[in-house]
Amino acid sequence: MIEKILLSRNMECAGHTNDVSSVDPVLAQECVCIDFTTPDAFKANYLFLANRFKAVVVGTTGWYDLQEEVFEAFRQAGTTLIWASNFSIGVNAMAAAVERVASLLGKSSSYTPYLVEKHHCHKLDAPSGTAKTLAVEVEKGMKVKPEILSVRAGEIPGIHTVTFEGTCDRITIEHEAFSRQGFAEGAVEAALMTEEHQGIFQFKELLFSRQ
């Protein structure tokens, strides 16, 4: 899907592989690596990615326990890293909205936050990385860790719902992905951002700084 988007924008996809170490070193120096793999794969490969590629965009989740080590490796290599638990522009807008609502409700003890995330039956992790990120936004504002319920069924691309349940009312913020194309579109946007930015960034930092 990423390759299709690149071609529609008249940009070249230099290749795709399940073995990143097989990429020609000279080619890698001129390329942005877009990584959607597994936590174990990224943990095994991040040093290689930092030292071999021009820049790296990471949509893989589950490596955040090594976040400082990963960031230090990219700083030492001088390689730009843009990362996110979800590259959908809509999801990132939702996260910003959740952060704002949580901060407004933070002084009130009458609201209880919780999350429900639904994905296809093939998804390996639960809860999703996006749900964990949304939970962090809630916790920052309300100083309470919300419960997360995960559903795995059918071929659901992804639905994330954040609810603030009060004694008199309920606030619900929801994002539904119709396909994985939104994730791919955002990853390509992030790859383009590496032309203008040097350093380590969460996707939303750059996305909304342009508004």
Side-chain angles (χ1 to χ4, degrees), residues 115-150:
L115 285 79
V116 179
E117 58 97 355
K118 303 175 184 178
H119 283 88
H120 51 85
C121 59
H122 316 290
K123 188 169 177 61
L124 299 178
D125 59 324
S128 67
T130 300
K132 292 177 182 177
T133 297
L134 292 169
V136 169
E137 301 297 351
V138 172
E139 189 172 1
K140 282 194 301 187
M142 301 190 74
K143 312 304 180 191
V144 60
K145 185 173 294 187
E147 182 180 356
I148 303 175
L149 173 64
S150 298

Side-chain angles (χ1 to χ4, degrees), residues 18-199:
N18 290 326
D19 179 12
V20 73
S21 65
S22 67
V23 178
D24 180 82
V26 177
L27 177 64
Q29 289 175 2
E30 300 300 321
C31 290
V32 178
C33 176
I34 299 178
D35 181 292
F36 283 96
T37 55
T38 66
D40 288 342
F42 181 73
K43 288 178 180 180
N45 290 330
Y46 75 85
L47 281 171
F48 182 88
L49 297 176
N51 288 293
R52 186 65 64 93
F53 285 88
K54 178 182 176 182
V56 179
V57 171
V58 180
T60 304
T61 61
W63 54 269
Y64 304 141
D65 54 319
L66 295 181
Q67 185 168 291
E68 287 309 313
E69 292 94 324
V70 171
F71 289 176
E72 182 59 25
F74 277 84
R75 278 192 289 264
Q76 290 289 335
T79 302
T80 294
L81 169 68
I82 300 179
W83 63 281
S85 59
N86 191 313
F87 276 96
S88 162
I89 293 172
V91 163
N92 280 276
M94 176 191 182
V98 167
E99 180 182 17
R100 178 62 174 153
V101 172
S103 67
L104 291 172
L105 297 178
K107 295 181 180 179
S108 173
S109 59
S110 60
Y111 286 88
T112 301
Y114 56 90
L115 285 79
V116 179
E117 58 97 355
K118 303 175 184 178
H119 283 88
H120 51 85
C121 59
H122 316 290
K123 188 169 177 61
L124 299 178
D125 59 324
S128 67
T130 300
K132 292 177 182 177
T133 297
L134 292 169
V136 169
E137 301 297 351
V138 172
E139 189 172 1
K140 282 194 301 187
M142 301 190 74
K143 312 304 180 191
V144 60
K145 185 173 294 187
E147 182 180 356
I148 303 175
L149 173 64
S150 298
V151 176
R152 298 290 175 265
E155 299 297 331
I156 304 169
I159 302 173
H160 291 87
T161 308
V162 179
T163 300
F164 302 90
E165 183 95 19
T167 54
C168 302
D169 56 14
R170 178 187 299 114
I171 301 168
T172 301
I173 304 173
E174 182 173 274
H175 177 274
E176 178 177 359
F178 299 146
S179 72
R180 297 182 186 181
Q181 183 170 341
F183 314 142
E185 292 274 6
V188 171
E189 285 295 323
L192 293 173
M193 289 174 179
T194 64
E195 294 294 318
E196 304 172 10
H197 299 278
Q198 176 68 37

